[in-house]
Amino acid sequence: MKVMKFGGTSVGTPQRMKEVTQLVTKSGQPVFVVLSAMSGTTNSLVEISDYLYKKNADGANEVINRLEAKYIKHLDDLYTNTDIKNATRDFLKDEFNYLRSFTKEIFTSFEEKAIVAQGEMMSTNMVVNYMKEQGIKAVLLNALDFMRTDKNAEPDPVYIKEKLTAIMQENEGQQVYITQGFICRNAYGEVDNLQRGGSDYTASLIGAALNAEEIQIWTDIDGMHNNDPRVVDKTQPVHQLQFEEAAELAYFGAKILHPTCVQPAKYAGIPVRLLNTMDPNAEGTTISNQTEYGKIKAVAAKDNIIAIKIKSSRMLLATGFLRKVFEIFESYQTPIDMVCTSEVGVSMSIDNSAHLGEIVDELKKYGTVTVDTGMCIICVVGDLDWSNIGFETRVMDALKNIPVRMISYGGSNYNISFLIKEEDKRRALQSLSDNLFN
């Protein structure tokens, strides 16, 4: 069985919902489908929550009414069967009345998560009802019945596999199994969400639980490109990536995928394909445990980086210095992207400035601190094992006219990272494309 996940733009209109139905039934084989909320819905639900936090019931109701009108308008375009249309209308009215019920209660983060979950509830009901109208054997499985996180807010794969396997056995013989992406219950049974990776994470967890043949992530672009198409000319989709390569690209700027969401598929050895709903025949990108040796695959960039350098003679031949420095970042829950060391100094980059002032004050206890803002990390990904003679030279040669603040190489077999000024980003990315791919 294949798992197919469709994002918000893929189910953003009645016509898109019909196209998704054609895609999932094309093979005639049973499939498991994960759907996001219709595009724009989650933002509206977050806006409603924001009004309720501020105790502005009128503002919340105005957004609810506007969103309800949008959904009701879709019914005539989606359904021809009067009974199914009316049943879906009744369902949507119940949903929006449920949202209105929050305007009369005390509002906390628990209520917000319940509100945000309704976008996926609505999209999955609308699509499964359309499939039934078309005579397709489709069943809707509530993600809240099997998708759960543990006390550390991480997915509980044993629970998910056990519950989902039992639910699938109870619903044997269906052509399409549909569930909601993103939403789950936490360890205490409350409505929650997977946060990182959202619906992609749901698809990966389900694929691992069912030992799926393949996990397909359908979006509105044809896979990961070898550079940022918004910045660089003549980019091309990368047809094959190793899981580690995909994670590096995702972390350093390739927005099509979250770096952690494919981990369940990686550990289960299940390939993940990134495909384009608007161009279903495009090859897309396949992510697997297979490595294409001797190739540089792609380039990505991450903006809004801050470089921090601490220089101290006390670091010379001293033990424990780096531990003290890193503990400061840990105490403020600020992850470090890059690290470079010398005998008397260490430079680090971060992408979260929330506690920058406090971190700098703490670091000044141990040495002289310099901060550079407005920086950008450029990440080059591929088979960059140190035994591949000359690969790093090719990359460096492409950046020979770009001032480089830091270089990280050797921490992974799959990337070389450079810290440069944001103002040099476009020039650096174009030069890398010209030298490595074109």
Side-chain angles (χ1 to χ4, degrees):
M1 179 180 287
K2 293 180 180 179
V3 175
M4 305 173 73
K5 175 264 173 179
F6 293 89
T9 55
S10 298
V11 291
T13 65
Q15 181 58 36
R16 295 275 172 83
M17 290 181 175
K18 293 176 182 180
E19 291 167 359
V20 164
T21 299
Q22 292 175 352
L23 282 173
V24 302
T25 57
K26 186 176 181 180
S27 69
Q29 300 298 313
V31 294
F32 200 111
V33 177
V34 178
L35 297 183
S36 298
M38 290 179 67
S39 56
T41 299
T42 301
N43 288 341
S44 294
L45 295 172
V46 170
E47 185 181 3
I48 291 165
S49 300
D50 189 44
Y51 277 120
L52 294 176
Y53 273 123
K54 294 177 171 62
K55 302 188 185 303
N56 184 349
D58 290 340
N61 279 318
E62 187 174 326
V63 180
I64 292 170
N65 293 340
R66 189 165 64 239
L67 189 62
E68 182 179 24
K70 173 184 172 182
Y71 270 79
I72 297 299
K73 186 179 178 182
H74 288 322
L75 298 181
D76 288 334
D77 295 328
L78 189 56
Y79 307 107
T80 56
N81 182 291
T82 302
D83 291 339
I84 290 179
K85 185 190 299 185
N86 290 336
T88 308
R89 180 180 285 107
D90 291 342
F91 164 76
L92 289 175
K93 285 183 177 180
D94 289 342
E95 278 289 298
F96 285 103
N97 285 334
Y98 175 67
L99 294 179
R100 291 184 182 96
S101 71
F102 289 96
T103 63
K104 305 169 187 176
E105 305 291 338
I106 296 172
F107 196 78
T108 69
S109 61
F110 299 107
E111 285 76 26
E112 179 183 15
K113 288 175 180 176
I115 284 178
V116 172
Q118 301 316 304
E120 280 74 15
M121 291 294 190
M122 290 189 281
S123 65
T124 49
N125 270 274
M126 291 173 71
V127 171
V128 80
N129 285 349
Y130 174 74
M131 288 184 177
K132 288 177 178 178
E133 183 186 78
Q134 302 306 304
I136 299 164
K137 293 183 70 176
V139 62
L140 178 58
L141 308 180
N142 192 332
L144 300 180
D145 291 340
F146 62 86
M147 192 62 61
R148 187 177 79 169
T149 55
D150 58 23
K151 292 182 179 179
N152 297 316
E154 295 295 335
D156 186 340
V158 175
Y159 178 93
I160 294 167
K161 184 178 180 66
E162 178 185 316
K163 291 292 184 181
L164 184 55
T165 300
I167 291 171
M168 292 293 285
Q169 289 173 350
E170 293 170 5
N171 292 275
E172 283 184 322
Q174 302 291 327
Q175 183 180 353
V176 182
Y177 299 84
I178 296 183
T179 196
Q180 301 87 14
F182 178 62
I183 66 174
C184 65
R185 292 193 186 275
N186 60 25
Y188 309 101
E190 300 155 338
V191 176
D192 209 327
N193 56 66
L194 295 173
Q195 298 178 11
R196 301 186 303 272
S199 298
D200 294 347
Y201 211 170
T202 301
S204 187
L205 289 163
I206 289 171
L210 298 178
N211 194 27
E213 169 192 347
E214 181 178 88
I215 298 165
Q216 298 179 353
I217 308 294
W218 290 81
T219 65
D220 55 357
I221 57 175
D222 49 349
M224 281 193 178
H225 279 232
N226 59 10
N227 211 323
D228 189 340
R230 298 166 301 180
V231 177
V232 174
D233 299 327
K234 300 178 182 177
T235 67
Q236 297 291 328
V238 182
H239 296 309
Q240 194 279 336
L241 287 169
Q242 201 264 4
F243 276 114
E244 297 291 339
E245 294 172 340
E248 296 280 9
L249 287 172
Y251 182 76
F252 285 105
K255 302 298 184 184
I256 188 174
L257 196 67
H258 192 282
T260 63
C261 75
V262 292
Q263 285 182 351
K266 172 188 172 184
Y267 298 140
I270 300 169
V272 176
R273 293 186 69 200
L274 308 180
L275 297 165
N276 187 353
T277 316
M278 315 305 168
D279 185 9
N281 296 320
E283 184 177 346
T285 300
T286 299
I287 305 169
S288 69
N289 283 318
Q290 301 300 313
T291 298
E292 280 190 302
Y293 295 102
K295 283 190 176 182
I296 295 176
K297 295 291 189 65
V299 179
K302 189 176 184 182
D303 296 326
N304 302 314
I305 302 297
I306 300 160
I308 303 172
K309 179 170 71 175
I310 175 170
K311 185 173 66 173
S312 174
S313 58
R314 282 185 281 176
M315 185 177 172
L316 186 64
L317 302 178
T319 58
F321 182 87
L322 289 178
R323 174 181 58 80
K324 294 174 183 176
V325 169
F326 291 140
E327 281 178 347
I328 292 171
F329 289 89
E330 181 183 6
S331 67
Y332 290 101
Q333 296 185 318
T334 302
I336 296 171
D337 288 320
M338 294 174 63
V339 180
C340 292
T341 64
S342 73
E343 285 300 317
V344 293
V346 56
S347 288
M348 298 146 291
S349 71
I350 61 174
D351 63 1
N352 182 354
S353 62
H355 299 286
L356 179 61
E358 296 99 315
I359 290 170
V360 170
D361 285 342
E362 294 275 353
L363 289 173
K364 285 180 178 178
K365 297 176 183 177
Y366 302 107
T368 304
V369 180
T370 306
V371 177
D372 294 315
T373 58
M375 307 298 286
C376 169
I377 293 176
I378 302 289
C379 177
V380 180
V381 167
D383 176 26
L384 292 163
D385 187 273
W386 67 279
S387 61
N388 290 332
I389 297 172
F391 274 36
E392 70 279 7
T393 305
R394 289 175 58 195
V395 177
M396 292 291 293
D397 188 56
L399 296 178
K400 62 185 179 183
N401 296 317
I402 306 292
V404 176
R405 169 71 172 75
M406 289 168 60
I407 302 174
S408 176
Y409 176 51
S412 159
N413 288 338
Y414 300 101
N415 96 55
I416 305 176
S417 296
F418 301 85
L419 187 68
I420 65 173
K421 293 179 180 178
E422 281 187 4
E423 62 196 59
D424 294 322
K425 169 185 166 180
R426 181 180 295 272
R427 199 157 51 99
L429 291 179
Q430 188 65 61
S431 181
L432 285 164
S433 267
D434 293 342
N435 283 268
L436 300 178
F437 308 128
N438 297 334

